[in-house]
Every structure is written in structure tokens, then in C-alpha cells.
Amino acid sequence: MNKVELEKIKVKALEEHIPIIMDDTLEVIDKILKEKKPKAILEIGTAVGYSAMCFSEYLADGGIIDTIEREHERVEEAKENIKKVGVEEKINILEGDAVEILPTLDKKYDVVFIDAAKGKYPFFLAEAKRMLNENGIIFADNILYKGYVMSDYNKHKQRTAVRNLREYIKEVTEDENCKTEILEVGDGLAISRF
Ligand code: SAH
Ligand code: MG
């Protein structure tokens, strides 16, 4: 993969305030993927393809990432970026709303990375669980949402998002089928190992 191009894409995304994965969050996920060498990853929220391209380095031979994005312009940009970096073989973009696309998928994944509409996290979790392989891992980015999730502040205009992120945390921490860690890296990362 062309890491010089990847770095340029990162810089441009940050300049344009596209909420790409933060360095410390990426570092944690990289370590886990390096060990796991997944064959199939599902990502919800492609943006311009940055995180998918970073993860693609750790796929097993012949492995693939399916990634979902609803904004057409971002899909177009992600496709161009993926070509520039030379990882077209490893990343498959599905364009549309994940709420509609997920129920149509019937594949198994070793890893799911949830990084889209916060109000939909509990739904994304249910769909991720349905498609997760044994010993799979589900990551959820932005799980602490600028600290709102762990504070008692609930008059914020994003209260639906906050309520749903709290619901996600409750579900994964109460689920006896998985072990969950909530890390204060980036905007908060939940790691659930099944
Ligand atoms: N994973 C990317 C960043 C994703 S930002 C990275 O780290 O590089 C979140 C993206 O999710 C945005 O581009 C947004 O358009 C998309 N998104 C939000 N809700 C969505 C939904 N319901 N279905 C599909 N995409 C969604
Ligand atoms: Mg994110």
C-alpha cells in the first residue's frame, strides 16, 4: 500500500473536518488486528475510506473489508482514495443507509467496526452480532461522545445519540457472551470480544 498517499488523505480529511479515526484509537485497534489477522471486516461508516485503508493492512491473505457509507460524495472520494493507495482488491464499498443495507447482508465477519450515526448504535450492534463469527470482535468508536455519555448532562441537543450510546454500553456490558472494555482513547472506544 502507498503510505505516502494514505498520509495525504489523512491530512486532507482532517483539514476538511471529516471525523476520521483518531491516532490513539487506531493504535489500539491496529494492535488487536495485527494479532487477529481477520479474513472479513465489516465497517459501518466509511467516510473517505481512511480507517478501512488502515485496517486493510492487517487482513489475512485474500481478506476483505465491506464498508457502508450513505453520502454519495464521500463514496466517490473513498473510491478514488482507495485506488490511489492501491488497496482496491481489499475494500468493497456499499453505498446506502446502513439501517437499510445491514438487514440485507448475510455474511460472517471476524471484526465489525461501528463508526456511523450514534443514534443507531443499538441497532448496529444487533446486526453486528448476527453476522459475527465465533471469537469475533466488535469495536464501537465515539462511544463516550465528548464526555456526554458518562456525565449526567442530558439536556444537550444530542440527547437521542447519548441515550443510544448509553444503551449500547449497557447491552455489551450485560451480555454474558462477550467481554467489553471501554477505553478513553480518542472519542471513546468500546471493544467487545465474543
Ligand atoms: N470510519 C471513518 C469515519 C467515519 S465518519 C474513518 O475513521 O476514516 C462517519 C460516516 O458515517 C460519515 O461519513 C457518515 O456519512 C456515515 N454515516 C452516518 N450514518 C450512516 C448510516 N446510517 N448509514 C451509512 N453511513 C452513515
Ligand atoms: Mg469515529
Side-chain angles (χ1 to χ4, degrees):
M1 78 151 73
N2 187 333
K3 292 220 167 146
V4 175
E5 281 301 330
L6 184 62
E7 185 61 27
K8 281 190 203 160
I9 289 160
K10 176 187 175 182
V11 170
K12 178 166 182 274
L14 289 172
E15 276 170 8
E16 293 174 359
H17 305 288
I18 294 167
I20 59 168
I21 192 166
M22 291 168 86
D23 288 338
D24 52 350
T25 308
L26 185 60
E27 212 175 289
V28 171
I29 297 179
D30 275 358
K31 243 182 232 161
I32 295 170
L33 296 183
K34 208 176 264 180
E35 199 180 306
K36 188 160 179 68
K37 298 189 186 69
K39 268 221 105 124
I41 301 178
L42 173 65
E43 176 180 74
I44 307 170
T46 316
V48 294
Y50 178 70
S51 53
M53 293 191 282
C54 293
F55 301 159
S56 73
E57 215 188 332
Y58 305 106
L59 285 169
D61 280 346
I64 188 107
I65 303 180
D66 288 329
T67 178
I68 307 173
E69 173 58 50
R70 67 178 170 194
E71 296 214 5
H72 181 67
E73 272 180 30
R74 288 199 172 165
V75 170
E76 290 301 306
E77 192 171 338
K79 283 182 180 163
E80 277 173 35
N81 288 341
I82 287 164
K83 232 183 247 169
K84 281 187 206 156
V85 174
V87 289
E88 311 92 298
E89 313 279 83
K90 298 180 175 183
I91 300 174
N92 175 35
I93 304 177
L94 304 168
E95 182 173 348
D97 193 321
V99 173
E100 282 159 27
I101 290 181
L102 287 167
T104 71
L105 300 180
D106 195 14
K107 256 179 89 172
K108 288 287 179 185
Y109 295 96
D110 306 306
V111 169
V112 180
F113 180 58
I114 299 173
D115 192 20
K118 297 173 188 74
K120 297 287 169 7
Y121 271 36
F123 176 77
F124 295 156
L125 174 64
E127 288 296 300
K129 278 190 196 175
R130 177 177 67 77
M131 292 187 277
L132 198 68
N133 274 327
E134 231 175 278
N135 301 316
I137 305 175
I138 301 176
F139 295 100
D141 194 26
N142 307 93
I143 199 70
L144 298 176
Y145 197 14
K146 301 174 184 168
Y148 302 147
V149 170
M150 291 303 184
S151 73
D152 54 12
Y153 192 57
N154 55 21
K155 282 194 178 138
H156 192 266
K157 67 176 181 351
Q158 302 295 352
R159 63 184 173 277
T160 306
V162 170
R163 178 167 37 79
N164 282 287
L165 293 171
R166 285 180 184 151
E167 174 62 29
Y168 182 102
I169 293 173
K170 185 172 181 311
E171 275 192 41
V172 288
T173 46
E174 287 176 1
D175 187 340
E176 286 171 1
N177 297 314
C178 72
K179 271 196 176 159
T180 296
E181 294 171 87
I182 309 284
L183 304 183
E184 287 182 28
V185 289
D187 195 24
L189 178 70
I191 308 174
S192 303
R193 297 167 191 266
F194 286 77

